[in-house]
Coordinates of all heavy atoms in Angstrom, one line a residue:
V1 N 11.2 -15.0 5.5 CA 10.0 -14.5 5.9 C 9.2 -13.8 4.8 O 8.1 -14.1 4.6 CB 10.2 -13.4 7.1 CG1 8.9 -12.7 7.4 CG2 10.7 -14.1 8.3
Y2 N 10.0 -13.0 4.0 CA 9.3 -12.2 2.9 C 8.8 -13.2 1.9 O 7.7 -13.0 1.4 CB 10.3 -11.3 2.2 CG 11.2 -10.6 3.2 CD1 12.6 -10.9 3.3 CD2 10.8 -9.6 4.1 CE1 13.4 -10.3 4.2 CE2 11.6 -9.0 5.0 CZ 12.9 -9.3 5.0 OH 13.8 -8.7 5.9
D3 N 9.6 -14.2 1.6 CA 9.2 -15.2 0.5 C 7.9 -15.9 0.9 O 7.1 -16.2 0.1 CB 10.3 -16.2 0.2 CG 11.4 -15.6 -0.5 OD1 11.2 -14.6 -1.2 OD2 12.5 -16.1 -0.4
L4 N 7.8 -16.3 2.2 CA 6.6 -17.0 2.7 C 5.4 -16.1 2.5 O 4.3 -16.6 2.0 CB 6.7 -17.3 4.2 CG 7.8 -18.4 4.5 CD1 7.9 -18.5 6.0 CD2 7.4 -19.7 3.9
Y5 N 5.5 -14.8 2.8 CA 4.3 -13.9 2.6 C 4.0 -13.8 1.1 O 2.8 -13.8 0.7 CB 4.6 -12.6 3.2 CG 4.5 -12.5 4.7 CD1 5.5 -11.9 5.4 CD2 3.4 -13.0 5.4 CE1 5.4 -11.9 6.8 CE2 3.3 -12.9 6.7 CZ 4.3 -12.4 7.4 OH 4.2 -12.3 8.8
L6 N 5.0 -13.7 0.3 CA 4.8 -13.6 -1.2 C 4.1 -14.8 -1.7 O 3.2 -14.7 -2.6 CB 6.1 -13.3 -1.9 CG 6.7 -11.9 -1.7 CD1 8.0 -11.8 -2.4 CD2 5.7 -10.8 -2.2
K7 N 4.6 -16.0 -1.3 CA 4.0 -17.3 -1.8 C 2.6 -17.4 -1.4 O 1.8 -18.1 -2.1 CB 4.8 -18.4 -1.3 CG 6.2 -18.6 -1.9 CD 7.0 -19.7 -1.4 CE 8.4 -19.8 -2.0 NZ 9.2 -20.8 -1.5
K8 N 2.2 -16.8 -0.3 CA 0.8 -16.9 0.2 C 0.0 -15.7 -0.3 O -1.1 -15.5 0.1 CB 0.8 -16.9 1.7 CG 1.4 -18.2 2.3 CD 1.0 -18.4 3.8 CE 1.9 -17.6 4.7 NZ 1.7 -17.9 6.1
Y9 N 0.6 -14.9 -1.2 CA -0.1 -13.7 -1.8 C -0.4 -12.7 -0.7 O -1.4 -11.9 -0.8 CB -1.3 -14.1 -2.6 CG -0.9 -15.0 -3.7 CD1 -1.1 -16.3 -3.7 CD2 -0.4 -14.4 -4.9 CE1 -0.8 -17.2 -4.7 CE2 0.0 -15.3 -6.0 CZ -0.2 -16.6 -5.9 OH 0.1 -17.4 -6.9
E10 N 0.3 -12.6 0.4 CA 0.1 -11.7 1.5 C 1.1 -10.5 1.2 O 2.1 -10.3 1.9 CB 0.3 -12.3 2.8 CG -0.7 -13.4 3.1 CD -0.5 -14.1 4.5 OE1 0.3 -13.5 5.3 OE2 -1.1 -15.1 4.7
F11 N 0.8 -9.7 0.2 CA 1.7 -8.7 -0.3 C 1.9 -7.6 0.8 O 3.0 -7.1 1.0 CB 1.2 -8.1 -1.6 CG 1.1 -9.1 -2.7 CD1 -0.2 -9.4 -3.2 CD2 2.1 -9.9 -3.1 CE1 -0.3 -10.3 -4.2 CE2 2.0 -10.8 -4.1 CZ 0.8 -11.1 -4.7
G12 N 0.8 -7.2 1.5 CA 1.0 -6.2 2.5 C 1.9 -6.6 3.6 O 2.7 -5.9 4.1
N13 N 1.7 -7.9 4.1 CA 2.6 -8.4 5.1 C 4.0 -8.5 4.7 O 4.9 -8.3 5.5 CB 2.1 -9.8 5.6 CG 0.8 -9.7 6.4 OD1 0.5 -8.7 7.0 ND2 0.0 -10.8 6.3
A14 N 4.2 -8.9 3.4 CA 5.6 -8.9 2.9 C 6.3 -7.5 2.9 O 7.4 -7.4 3.3 CB 5.6 -9.5 1.5
L15 N 5.5 -6.5 2.5 CA 6.0 -5.2 2.5 C 6.3 -4.7 3.9 O 7.3 -4.1 4.2 CB 5.1 -4.2 1.8 CG 5.5 -2.8 1.6 CD1 6.9 -2.6 0.9 CD2 4.4 -2.0 0.9
D16 N 5.4 -5.0 4.8 CA 5.5 -4.6 6.2 C 6.8 -5.2 6.8 O 7.6 -4.6 7.5 CB 4.3 -4.9 7.0 CG 3.1 -4.1 6.7 OD1 3.3 -3.0 6.1 OD2 2.0 -4.5 7.0
A17 N 7.0 -6.5 6.5 CA 8.2 -7.2 7.1 C 9.4 -6.6 6.5 O 10.4 -6.4 7.3 CB 8.1 -8.7 6.7
A18 N 9.4 -6.2 5.3 CA 10.6 -5.6 4.7 C 10.9 -4.3 5.3 O 12.1 -4.0 5.7 CB 10.4 -5.4 3.2
V19 N 9.9 -3.5 5.5 CA 10.1 -2.2 6.2 C 10.6 -2.3 7.6 O 11.4 -1.6 8.1 CB 8.8 -1.3 6.1 CG1 8.9 -0.1 7.0 CG2 8.4 -1.0 4.7
R20 N 10.0 -3.3 8.3 CA 10.4 -3.5 9.7 C 11.9 -3.9 9.8 O 12.6 -3.7 10.8 CB 9.6 -4.6 10.4 CG 8.3 -4.1 10.9 CD 7.6 -5.1 11.8 NE 7.4 -6.4 11.2 CZ 6.3 -6.7 10.5 NH1 5.4 -5.8 10.3 NH2 6.2 -7.9 9.9
S21 N 12.4 -4.5 8.7 CA 13.8 -4.9 8.7 C 14.8 -3.7 8.8 O 15.9 -3.8 9.3 CB 14.2 -5.8 7.5 OG 14.3 -4.9 6.3
G22 N 14.3 -2.6 8.3 CA 15.1 -1.4 8.3 C 16.2 -1.4 7.3 O 17.0 -0.4 7.2
D23 N 16.3 -2.4 6.4 CA 17.4 -2.5 5.5 C 16.9 -2.0 4.1 O 15.9 -2.4 3.5 CB 17.7 -4.0 5.3 CG 18.9 -4.3 4.4 OD1 19.2 -3.4 3.6 OD2 19.5 -5.3 4.6
V24 N 17.6 -0.9 3.7 CA 17.2 -0.3 2.4 C 17.2 -1.2 1.2 O 16.4 -1.2 0.4 CB 18.2 0.9 2.1 CG1 17.8 1.6 0.8 CG2 18.2 1.9 3.2
A25 N 18.2 -2.1 1.2 CA 18.3 -3.1 0.1 C 17.1 -4.0 0.1 O 16.6 -4.4 -0.9 CB 19.6 -3.9 0.2
V26 N 16.7 -4.5 1.3 CA 15.5 -5.4 1.4 C 14.2 -4.7 0.9 O 13.5 -5.2 0.2 CB 15.4 -5.9 2.9 CG1 14.1 -6.6 3.0 CG2 16.6 -6.8 3.2
V27 N 14.0 -3.5 1.4 CA 12.8 -2.7 1.0 C 12.8 -2.4 -0.4 O 11.8 -2.6 -1.1 CB 12.7 -1.4 1.9 CG1 11.5 -0.6 1.4 CG2 12.5 -1.7 3.3
S28 N 14.0 -2.0 -1.0 CA 14.1 -1.7 -2.4 C 13.8 -3.0 -3.2 O 13.0 -2.9 -4.2 CB 15.5 -1.3 -2.7 OG 15.7 -1.0 -4.1
A29 N 14.3 -4.1 -2.8 CA 14.1 -5.4 -3.5 C 12.6 -5.8 -3.4 O 12.0 -6.2 -4.4 CB 15.0 -6.5 -3.0
M30 N 12.0 -5.5 -2.3 CA 10.6 -5.9 -2.1 C 9.7 -5.0 -3.0 O 8.8 -5.5 -3.7 CB 10.2 -5.7 -0.7 CG 8.7 -6.1 -0.4 SD 8.2 -7.8 -0.9 CE 9.2 -8.7 0.2
L31 N 10.0 -3.7 -3.0 CA 9.2 -2.8 -3.9 C 9.4 -3.2 -5.4 O 8.4 -3.2 -6.1 CB 9.6 -1.4 -3.7 CG 9.3 -0.8 -2.3 CD1 9.9 0.6 -2.1 CD2 7.7 -0.6 -2.2
E32 N 10.6 -3.5 -5.7 CA 10.8 -4.0 -7.1 C 10.1 -5.3 -7.4 O 9.4 -5.4 -8.5 CB 12.3 -4.2 -7.3 CG 12.7 -4.3 -8.8 CD 14.2 -4.3 -8.9 OE1 14.9 -3.6 -8.2 OE2 14.7 -5.0 -9.8
Q33 N 10.1 -6.2 -6.5 CA 9.4 -7.5 -6.7 C 7.9 -7.3 -6.8 O 7.2 -7.8 -7.7 CB 9.7 -8.5 -5.6 CG 9.1 -9.8 -5.7 CD 9.5 -10.6 -6.9 OE1 10.6 -10.4 -7.4 NE2 8.7 -11.5 -7.4
L34 N 7.3 -6.5 -5.9 CA 5.9 -6.2 -5.9 C 5.5 -5.5 -7.2 O 4.4 -5.8 -7.8 CB 5.5 -5.4 -4.7 CG 5.6 -6.1 -3.3 CD1 5.4 -5.1 -2.2 CD2 4.5 -7.2 -3.3
N35 N 6.3 -4.6 -7.6 CA 6.1 -3.9 -8.9 C 6.1 -4.9 -10.1 O 5.2 -4.8 -11.0 CB 7.1 -2.8 -9.1 CG 6.7 -1.8 -10.2 OD1 5.5 -1.5 -10.3 ND2 7.6 -1.4 -11.0
R36 N 7.1 -5.8 -10.1 CA 7.2 -6.8 -11.2 C 5.9 -7.7 -11.2 O 5.5 -8.1 -12.3 CB 8.4 -7.6 -10.9 CG 9.5 -7.4 -11.9 CD 10.5 -8.5 -11.9 NE 11.0 -8.9 -10.6 CZ 12.1 -8.5 -10.0 NH1 12.9 -7.7 -10.6 NH2 12.4 -8.9 -8.8
Q37 N 5.4 -8.0 -10.0 CA 4.3 -8.9 -9.9 C 3.0 -8.1 -10.0 O 1.9 -8.7 -9.9 CB 4.3 -9.6 -8.6 CG 5.3 -10.6 -8.4 CD 5.3 -11.4 -7.1 OE1 4.5 -11.1 -6.2 NE2 6.1 -12.4 -7.0
R38 N 3.1 -6.8 -10.3 CA 1.9 -5.9 -10.3 C 1.1 -6.0 -9.1 O -0.2 -6.1 -9.1 CB 1.1 -6.2 -11.6 CG 1.9 -6.0 -12.9 CD 1.0 -6.2 -14.1 NE 1.8 -6.3 -15.3 CZ 2.1 -5.2 -16.0 NH1 1.7 -4.0 -15.7 NH2 2.9 -5.4 -17.1
A39 N 1.8 -6.1 -7.9 CA 1.1 -6.3 -6.7 C 1.3 -5.2 -5.7 O 0.8 -5.2 -4.5 CB 1.6 -7.6 -6.0
L40 N 2.0 -4.1 -6.1 CA 2.2 -3.0 -5.2 C 0.9 -2.4 -4.8 O 0.7 -2.1 -3.6 CB 3.1 -2.0 -5.8 CG 3.6 -0.9 -4.9 CD1 4.3 -1.4 -3.7 CD2 4.6 0.0 -5.7
T41 N 0.0 -2.2 -5.7 CA -1.3 -1.6 -5.3 C -2.0 -2.5 -4.3 O -2.6 -2.0 -3.3 CB -2.2 -1.5 -6.6 OG1 -1.5 -0.7 -7.5 CG2 -3.5 -0.9 -6.3
H42 N -2.0 -3.8 -4.5 CA -2.6 -4.7 -3.5 C -1.9 -4.6 -2.2 O -2.6 -4.7 -1.1 CB -2.5 -6.2 -4.0 CG -3.3 -6.4 -5.3 ND1 -4.6 -6.3 -5.4 CD2 -2.8 -6.7 -6.5 CE1 -5.0 -6.6 -6.7 NE2 -3.9 -6.8 -7.4
A43 N -0.6 -4.4 -2.1 CA 0.1 -4.3 -0.9 C -0.3 -3.1 -0.1 O -0.2 -3.1 1.1 CB 1.6 -4.3 -1.1
L44 N -0.8 -2.1 -0.8 CA -1.1 -0.8 -0.2 C -2.6 -0.6 0.0 O -3.0 0.3 0.8 CB -0.5 0.4 -1.0 CG 1.0 0.4 -1.1 CD1 1.4 1.5 -2.1 CD2 1.7 0.6 0.3
D45 N -3.4 -1.4 -0.6 CA -4.9 -1.2 -0.6 C -5.4 -1.4 0.9 O -4.9 -2.2 1.6 CB -5.6 -2.3 -1.4 CG -5.7 -1.9 -2.9 OD1 -5.4 -0.8 -3.2 OD2 -6.0 -2.8 -3.7
G46 N -6.3 -0.5 1.2 CA -7.0 -0.6 2.5 C -6.3 -0.2 3.7 O -6.7 -0.4 4.8
R47 N -5.1 0.4 3.5 CA -4.3 0.8 4.7 C -4.8 2.2 5.2 O -5.2 3.0 4.4 CB -2.9 1.0 4.3 CG -2.2 -0.4 4.0 CD -0.8 -0.2 3.7 NE -0.2 -1.5 3.4 CZ 0.8 -2.0 4.1 NH1 1.4 -1.3 5.1 NH2 1.3 -3.2 3.8
T48 N -4.8 2.3 6.5 CA -5.1 3.6 7.1 C -3.9 4.5 7.0 O -2.8 4.0 6.7 CB -5.5 3.4 8.5 OG1 -4.4 2.9 9.3 CG2 -6.7 2.4 8.7
E49 N -4.1 5.7 7.4 CA -2.9 6.7 7.4 C -1.9 6.1 8.4 O -0.7 6.2 8.1 CB -3.4 8.1 7.8 CG -4.2 8.8 6.8 CD -4.7 10.1 7.2 OE1 -4.0 10.7 8.1 OE2 -5.6 10.6 6.6
A50 N -2.3 5.6 9.5 CA -1.4 5.1 10.5 C -0.6 4.0 10.0 O 0.6 3.8 10.4 CB -2.2 4.8 11.8
Q51 N -1.2 3.1 9.2 CA -0.5 2.0 8.6 C 0.5 2.4 7.5 O 1.4 1.6 7.3 CB -1.5 1.0 8.1 CG -2.3 0.3 9.2 CD -3.5 -0.5 8.6 OE1 -4.2 -0.1 7.7 NE2 -3.7 -1.7 9.2
L52 N 0.3 3.5 6.9 CA 1.2 4.0 5.9 C 2.4 4.7 6.5 O 3.4 4.8 5.8 CB 0.4 4.9 4.9 CG -0.6 4.2 4.0 CD1 -1.4 5.3 3.2 CD2 0.1 3.3 3.0
V53 N 2.3 5.2 7.7 CA 3.3 6.0 8.3 C 4.7 5.3 8.3 O 5.7 5.9 7.9 CB 2.9 6.5 9.7 CG1 4.1 7.1 10.4 CG2 1.8 7.6 9.6
P54 N 4.8 4.1 8.7 CA 6.2 3.4 8.7 C 6.8 3.4 7.3 O 8.0 3.7 7.2 CB 5.9 2.0 9.3 CG 4.6 2.1 10.0 CD 3.8 3.2 9.3
L55 N 6.0 3.1 6.3 CA 6.6 3.0 5.0 C 7.0 4.4 4.5 O 8.1 4.6 4.0 CB 5.5 2.4 4.0 CG 5.9 2.4 2.5 CD1 7.2 1.6 2.3 CD2 4.8 1.9 1.7
L56 N 6.1 5.4 4.7 CA 6.4 6.7 4.3 C 7.6 7.3 5.0 O 8.5 7.9 4.4 CB 5.2 7.7 4.5 CG 4.0 7.3 3.6 CD1 2.8 8.2 4.0 CD2 4.4 7.5 2.1
R57 N 7.7 7.0 6.3 CA 8.9 7.5 7.1 C 10.2 6.8 6.5 O 11.2 7.5 6.4 CB 8.7 7.1 8.6 CG 9.8 7.6 9.5 CD 9.5 7.4 10.9 NE 8.4 8.2 11.3 CZ 7.4 7.8 12.1 NH1 7.3 6.6 12.4 NH2 6.4 8.6 12.4
F58 N 10.1 5.6 6.2 CA 11.3 4.9 5.7 C 11.7 5.5 4.3 O 12.8 5.7 4.1 CB 11.0 3.4 5.5 CG 12.1 2.6 5.0 CD1 13.0 2.1 5.9 CD2 12.3 2.4 3.6 CE1 14.1 1.4 5.4 CE2 13.4 1.7 3.2 CZ 14.3 1.2 4.0
L59 N 10.7 5.7 3.5 CA 11.0 6.3 2.2 C 11.6 7.7 2.3 O 12.6 8.0 1.6 CB 9.7 6.4 1.3 CG 9.1 5.0 0.9 CD1 7.7 5.2 0.2 CD2 10.0 4.2 0.1
V60 N 11.1 8.5 3.2 CA 11.6 9.9 3.3 C 13.0 9.8 3.9 O 13.9 10.6 3.4 CB 10.7 10.7 4.3 CG1 11.4 12.0 4.7 CG2 9.4 11.0 3.6
Q61 N 13.3 8.9 4.8 CA 14.7 8.8 5.4 C 15.7 8.3 4.3 O 16.9 8.6 4.5 CB 14.6 7.9 6.6 CG 13.9 8.5 7.8 CD 13.8 7.5 8.9 OE1 14.0 6.3 8.7 NE2 13.4 8.0 10.1
N62 N 15.2 7.5 3.4 CA 16.2 6.8 2.5 C 16.1 7.3 1.0 O 16.8 6.7 0.2 CB 16.0 5.3 2.6 CG 16.3 4.8 3.9 OD1 17.5 4.7 4.3 ND2 15.3 4.5 4.7
I63 N 15.3 8.2 0.7 CA 15.1 8.6 -0.7 C 16.3 9.2 -1.3 O 16.5 9.1 -2.6 CB 13.9 9.7 -0.8 CG1 13.4 9.7 -2.2 CG2 14.3 11.0 -0.3 CD1 12.6 8.5 -2.6
N64 N 17.3 9.7 -0.5 CA 18.5 10.3 -1.1 C 19.6 9.3 -1.3 O 20.6 9.6 -1.8 CB 19.0 11.4 -0.2 CG 18.1 12.6 -0.2 OD1 17.5 12.9 -1.2 ND2 18.0 13.3 0.9
H65 N 19.3 8.0 -1.0 CA 20.4 7.0 -1.2 C 20.4 6.7 -2.7 O 19.5 6.2 -3.3 CB 20.0 5.7 -0.5 CG 21.1 4.8 -0.3 ND1 21.7 4.2 -1.4 CD2 21.7 4.3 0.8 CE1 22.6 3.4 -0.9 NE2 22.6 3.4 0.4
P66 N 21.6 7.1 -3.4 CA 21.6 7.1 -4.8 C 21.4 5.7 -5.4 O 20.8 5.6 -6.5 CB 23.1 7.5 -5.1 CG 23.7 7.8 -3.9 CD 22.8 7.6 -2.8
R67 N 21.8 4.7 -4.8 CA 21.7 3.3 -5.3 C 20.2 2.8 -5.3 O 19.8 2.1 -6.2 CB 22.5 2.3 -4.5 CG 22.5 0.9 -5.0 CD 23.4 0.0 -4.3 NE 23.4 -1.3 -4.9 CZ 24.1 -2.3 -4.4 NH1 24.9 -2.1 -3.4 NH2 24.0 -3.5 -5.0
Y68 N 19.4 3.3 -4.4 CA 18.1 2.8 -4.2 C 17.0 3.8 -4.6 O 15.8 3.4 -4.6 CB 17.8 2.3 -2.8 CG 18.8 1.2 -2.4 CD1 19.9 1.4 -1.5 CD2 18.8 -0.1 -3.0 CE1 20.8 0.5 -1.2 CE2 19.7 -1.0 -2.7 CZ 20.7 -0.8 -1.8 OH 21.6 -1.8 -1.5
A69 N 17.4 5.0 -4.9 CA 16.4 6.1 -5.1 C 15.4 5.7 -6.2 O 14.2 5.9 -6.1 CB 17.1 7.4 -5.5
P70 N 15.8 5.1 -7.4 CA 14.8 4.7 -8.4 C 13.7 3.8 -7.9 O 12.6 4.0 -8.3 CB 15.7 4.1 -9.5 CG 17.1 4.6 -9.3 CD 17.2 4.8 -7.8
Q71 N 14.0 2.8 -7.1 CA 13.0 1.9 -6.6 C 12.2 2.6 -5.5 O 11.0 2.3 -5.4 CB 13.6 0.7 -6.0 CG 14.3 -0.3 -7.0 CD 15.7 0.2 -7.4 OE1 16.3 1.0 -6.8 NE2 16.2 -0.5 -8.4
L72 N 12.7 3.5 -4.8 CA 12.0 4.1 -3.7 C 11.1 5.2 -4.2 O 10.1 5.6 -3.5 CB 13.0 4.7 -2.6 CG 13.9 3.7 -1.9 CD1 14.8 4.3 -0.9 CD2 13.0 2.6 -1.3
L73 N 11.3 5.7 -5.4 CA 10.5 6.8 -5.9 C 9.3 6.1 -6.6 O 8.2 6.4 -6.7 CB 11.2 7.6 -7.0 CG 12.3 8.5 -6.5 CD1 13.0 9.2 -7.6 CD2 11.7 9.6 -5.6

């Protein structure tokens, strides 16, 4: 699912799908991939506060995970 969104340059949808998975490894990998592609800004552009809440909630819940903290910061 994530790859399909990335191939279609739907970065926001790719990030949303990763967050919906609830898997720290998936979200971490997606953030790393978006950062590598310099697309993280595009993935977040135009979002309302309500649209940012799931991502922010996920980050707050998982920020202390030592393995993934560098990507989540």
Side-chain angles (χ1 to χ4, degrees):
V1 171
Y2 322 108
D3 288 336
L4 292 174
Y5 285 130
L6 289 175
K7 287 178 184 177
K8 294 195 276 184
Y9 300 99
E10 295 180 15
F11 303 120
N13 289 334
L15 181 57
D16 290 342
V19 171
R20 277 193 304 274
S21 77
D23 186 336
V24 182
V26 170
V27 176
S28 177
M30 180 58 65
L31 290 171
E32 193 172 325
Q33 180 65 26
L34 290 171
N35 192 43
R36 251 194 315 261
Q37 292 183 353
R38 300 180 191 269
L40 187 54
T41 302
H42 297 293
L44 298 173
D45 277 349
R47 290 180 182 242
T48 65
E49 288 179 23
Q51 291 170 318
L52 288 172
V53 167
L55 175 61
L56 293 174
R57 184 174 291 133
F58 182 89
L59 294 174
V60 168
Q61 289 173 347
N62 294 287
I63 200 73
N64 291 328
H65 198 297
R67 182 174 181 180
Y68 302 108
Q71 289 84 8
L72 299 179
L73 290 173

